[in-house]
Amino acid sequence: MFTMFKYFFITCLIIFCTACNSNKKQFDASGTFESNEVIVSSQLGGQLLSFNIEEGDTLTKDETVGKIDSTDVDLQKQQVQATIQSLQEKTTNVEPQIKLLQDQLSVQQTQLNNLLKNQQRFKNLVADGAATQKQLDDINTQVEEMKKQMQVTQQQINVQRSNVGTQNSSILSQKK
């Protein structure tokens, strides 16, 4: 605003001084001077470090005329990258836990196979009168217990996969 007033004042002063001039020169052209104000802004915020132009300088498009300290923006970018990296590290690999449970299930299967062999032996012994019904009932109970333990272990595998999958998707959604 002040710049336009300054140009107007100088123009009026020049016209006034030349009007009083006794030299009657003919002018080829006359007119009104107008200026366009352009607002220049930075793409980033920060402290202005240098500004190498003066009023009235002619600038070209995309010309660098100053420097801004963008340390804050760089630090924010590094912080976001570190957060993304830490989110990736927070995801849990379910495979070691599943492997442990599958190994446990395999041991239980071996124990069940052994119990089933013993169960058949006791059935034969009871049929021959060489063992009591209580001994057969005990082995039958052990077989049922082992089957239930195996079902529990399989449920633990399924729950572990589900829980870790849910946890990982929650963590990875923060990354997005």
Side-chain angles (χ1 to χ4, degrees):
M1 183 74 123
F2 177 74
T3 306
M4 289 179 42
F5 178 74
K6 189 165 99 174
Y7 286 127
F8 178 73
F9 180 75
I10 291 172
T11 305
C12 289
L13 186 62
I14 291 172
I15 292 172
F16 179 74
C17 290
T18 56
C20 295
N21 191 353
S22 62
N23 190 359
K24 301 286 184 181
K25 290 187 179 180
Q26 295 294 328
F27 293 103
D28 290 343
S30 65
T32 306
F33 292 99
E34 292 183 20
S35 68
N36 293 329
E37 261 187 56
V38 177
I39 297 174
V40 179
S41 63
S42 170
Q43 293 177 350
L44 297 175
Q47 182 179 0
L48 187 61
L49 297 176
S50 68
F51 193 64
N52 301 325
I53 63 167
E54 296 293 326
E55 187 175 332
D57 287 351
T58 302
L59 302 175
T60 61
K61 182 179 178 183
D62 295 330
E63 180 179 352
T64 302
V65 295
K67 287 186 180 181
I68 294 178
D69 181 12
S70 62
T71 304
D72 292 340
V73 175
D74 291 338
L75 291 175
Q76 288 174 353
K77 181 179 177 183
Q78 289 174 8
Q79 182 180 13
V80 168
Q81 289 171 340
T83 301
I84 289 172
Q85 179 63 31
S86 72
L87 288 175
Q88 190 65 34
E89 291 170 2
K90 284 182 184 178
T91 58
T92 305
N93 183 2
V94 71
E95 292 308 316
Q97 296 161 349
I98 298 295
K99 173 86 169 86
L100 179 67
L101 291 170
Q102 286 174 335
D103 290 346
Q104 182 179 346
L105 192 60
S106 176
V107 168
Q108 290 171 339
Q109 182 64 51
T110 303
Q111 291 173 343
L112 178 63
N113 292 342
N114 189 30
L115 287 171
L116 290 173
K117 287 179 188 175
N118 285 336
Q119 183 185 40
Q120 187 59 45
R121 286 183 189 136
F122 276 104
K123 283 181 183 179
N124 293 338
L125 288 172
V126 168
D128 291 341
T132 65
Q133 184 63 38
K134 180 177 182 334
Q135 289 174 315
L136 181 59
D137 291 343
D138 288 344
I139 195 75
N140 287 340
T141 301
Q142 290 177 2
V143 167
E144 290 305 312
E145 285 176 358
M146 185 55 62
K147 286 180 179 180
K148 288 180 181 179
Q149 285 179 6
M150 290 176 69
Q151 288 175 346
V152 168
T153 303
Q154 186 60 49
Q155 288 174 345
Q156 287 175 333
I157 290 172
N158 296 338
V159 166
Q160 193 67 28
R161 281 194 172 125
S162 175
N163 287 347
V164 170
T166 302
Q167 177 185 356
N168 285 349
S169 24
S170 171
I171 290 170
L172 294 175
S173 70
Q174 292 177 14
K175 180 179 177 180
K176 292 178 183 176

